[in-house]
Amino acid sequence: MSTNNTELTVVAFCCHYCAYAAADLAGSMRLQYPANVRIIRTPCTGRLEVEYFLKAFEHGADGVLIAGCEEGSCHFKEGNLIAKRRVSYARQYLKESGLEPERLRMVNVSSAMARQLTDHIKDMVETVRKLGPSPLHRATSLTQQEIRS
Amino acid sequence: MIVAERKSIPELLDILAGHKNVLVLGCGTCVTVCLAGGEREVSIIASALRIASRTRGLGLNISELTIERQCDNIFIEQAAEAIEKADAVLSLGCGAGVQAIAERFGKKPVYAGLNTKFLGILEERGVWTEKCAACGSCVLHEYGGICPVTRCAKHMLNGPCGGSREDRCEVRPDRACAWQLIYQRLKNIDQLERLNKIELPKEWDSSLSGGPRVIIRQDHRI
């Protein structure tokens, strides 16, 4: 994976009932958002575990965005609230491990909020761009360079 | 069950300094239930250690395994191959589990990845509370099933102390007064007369103050 700023990767876990539908709507509305985002559909953000976020970073993500339903509107009542607490817990792990916690963020949108979702994505990509590539990339690139030399 | 809590990642990195191939070993019993050292926590801590190793350039090679019970030789055997391959073991078992692994693998460094806290129960989702101090001589029958040794901050056998406010402990106002609970419970089961008895000082020789305790059941020995 490249360390070039234009090729940063943000993994977006999108809830099937809101953010994924909002992303679909964004497509229908021809709304533009950065191509850095890799969307993964999830049945509910409450299905996401702390290790999913850490594994995403381990496997090369520069940022991870969790997009769930608006608070109080979860299809499974409180999945998004569970996700919110897990994101907060995972951010603590990131901090302890030497990664900026800002690389992991949760946002809430409804299925009709295509524009807000694209704004959230743009903002997340911009945040990650400012932070630069994940230090894990740099570590990997260094190792590869060392191997080459 | 035994309740434990994780150590921080920087603390674990300090503990593991000097090792390259580390096995993070989970336990499928108490620490799984208290969400500190089961399969999921092994996965999370191993991931966090890998990330930390790469951001700091430590070159750690982390492997993962969870066995049913770390305090039992039969189950430890299942981890033997993985333990032999590793330079060191980071056990996410309780203190007993860590020591059982260390005793079984005499030449392998075995480290505790958790802080073992207490014997307790799951009070509500995400909340564990201490219920037993393992004093070795149970007095629960005298107190309506509520342990003053563990749950009274002053360990009073003849309470209450007089400092409690309403039903709150004066030492920790966020905790219930154990003696208020004892009174209420004895009243509910019509055994309030038990409170008339003056309890003599407790015999502590069955507790840890006499050194590590051993139980031998001759009927089960071979």
Side-chain angles (χ1 to χ4, degrees):
Chain A
M1 199 166 285
S2 169
T3 56
N4 189 326
N5 269 9
T6 57
E7 293 181 29
L8 296 169
T9 304
V10 171
V11 173
F13 290 103
C14 291
C15 163
H16 165 79
Y17 291 93
C18 55
Y20 193 80
D24 199 23
L25 181 61
S28 305
M29 291 169 71
R30 303 288 186 264
L31 296 174
Q32 298 288 313
Y33 59 86
N36 311 63
V37 177
R38 305 286 180 272
I39 290 179
I40 298 174
R41 182 169 66 163
T42 175
C44 171
T45 50
R47 175 65 188 86
L48 300 169
E49 304 287 351
V50 172
E51 59 261 44
Y52 295 8
F53 311 142
L54 299 184
K55 293 273 184 226
F57 286 108
E58 244 192 272
H59 291 280
D62 299 287
V64 176
L65 182 71
I66 290 89
C69 302
E70 292 181 292
E71 291 187 13
S73 305
C74 174
H75 187 78
F76 301 101
K77 290 190 176 173
E78 54 177 24
N80 52 356
L81 302 179
I82 292 170
K84 184 183 177 182
R85 291 193 286 266
R86 286 182 185 161
V87 167
S88 165
Y89 188 58
R91 281 167 71 113
Q92 179 61 34
Y93 267 109
L94 292 184
K95 202 172 160 188
E96 289 179 21
S97 307
L99 271 184
E100 300 88 347
E102 294 78 19
R103 290 182 186 276
L104 177 63
R105 180 188 297 175
M106 180 161 185
V107 296
N108 303 87
V109 291
S110 77
S111 56
M113 292 163 71
R115 195 170 298 280
Q116 284 88 338
L117 179 69
T118 55
D119 287 347
H120 281 310
I121 291 174
K122 284 176 194 164
D123 192 53
M124 181 69 191
V125 170
E126 195 46 41
T127 301
V128 174
R129 213 184 286 284
K130 280 180 188 157
L131 290 170
S134 160
L136 272 68
H137 276 195
R138 291 199 288 270
T140 313
S141 305
L142 256 179
T143 315
Q144 284 166 352
Q145 279 170 14
E146 281 164 6
I147 292 166
R148 280 191 211 107
S149 61
Chain B
M1 71 176 142
I2 296 167
V3 181
E5 209 174 32
R6 75 176 180 98
K7 287 181 189 284
S8 72
I9 299 300
E11 208 177 342
L12 294 180
L13 292 174
D14 273 352
I15 290 171
L16 296 172
H19 297 295
K20 286 291 173 200
N21 296 311
V22 175
L23 172 69
V24 181
L25 186 62
C27 178
T29 315
C30 309
V31 290
T32 292
V33 183
C34 71
L35 308 179
E39 201 169 2
R40 173 153 293 151
E41 291 72 33
V42 165
S43 169
I44 293 170
I45 286 175
S47 255
L49 284 173
R50 280 187 210 107
I51 292 172
S53 161
R54 281 166 69 184
T55 56
R56 291 167 170 83
L58 302 175
L60 280 175
N61 178 23
I62 307 283
S63 50
E64 310 167 23
L65 181 68
T66 301
I67 56 173
E68 190 64 33
R69 216 177 293 159
Q70 284 192 19
C71 56
D72 192 324
N73 266 328
I74 292 170
F75 295 106
I76 292 174
E77 210 51 51
Q78 295 166 1
E81 200 183 326
I83 292 173
E84 291 298 352
K85 279 183 192 164
D87 301 337
V89 178
L90 181 70
S91 163
L92 297 192
C94 68
V98 176
Q99 293 181 61
I101 302 285
E103 278 172 22
R104 169 71 177 72
F105 300 90
K107 292 189 174 171
K108 193 70 66 179
V110 180
Y111 303 111
L114 303 179
N115 295 320
T116 304
K117 298 297 221 182
F118 51 78
L119 297 180
I121 64 158
L122 177 69
E123 196 78 41
E124 55 188 80
R125 205 161 94 176
V127 179
W128 292 268
T129 52
E130 185 169 16
K131 298 291 183 196
C132 177
C135 70
S137 172
C138 194
V139 291
L140 277 170
H141 58 284
E142 298 280 8
Y143 301 100
I146 291 155
C147 178
V149 179
T150 316
R151 295 170 70 181
C152 169
K154 299 174 186 177
H155 316 301
M156 295 189 76
L157 295 182
N158 297 289
C161 66
S164 56
R165 303 273 169 87
E166 301 292 335
D167 61 345
R168 300 283 98 189
C169 171
E170 80 166 337
V171 178
R172 297 281 301 268
D174 58 332
R175 308 285 150 86
C177 166
W179 273 94
Q180 173 68 28
L181 297 174
I182 290 168
Y183 173 79
Q184 202 57 52
R185 171 83 177 139
L186 288 176
K187 193 177 172 188
N188 289 348
I189 58 174
D190 283 330
Q191 291 187 11
L192 268 180
E193 72 282 357
R194 283 187 183 275
L195 294 180
N196 294 328
K197 186 179 158 197
I198 302 297
E199 202 64 41
L200 295 174
K202 188 170 165 57
E203 298 284 351
W204 288 103
D205 57 355
S206 60
S207 77
L208 189 63
S209 52
R213 293 163 278 183
V214 178
I215 294 173
I216 298 172
R217 283 277 300 270
Q218 290 298 352
D219 57 324
H220 276 268
R221 287 184 62 77
I222 300 169

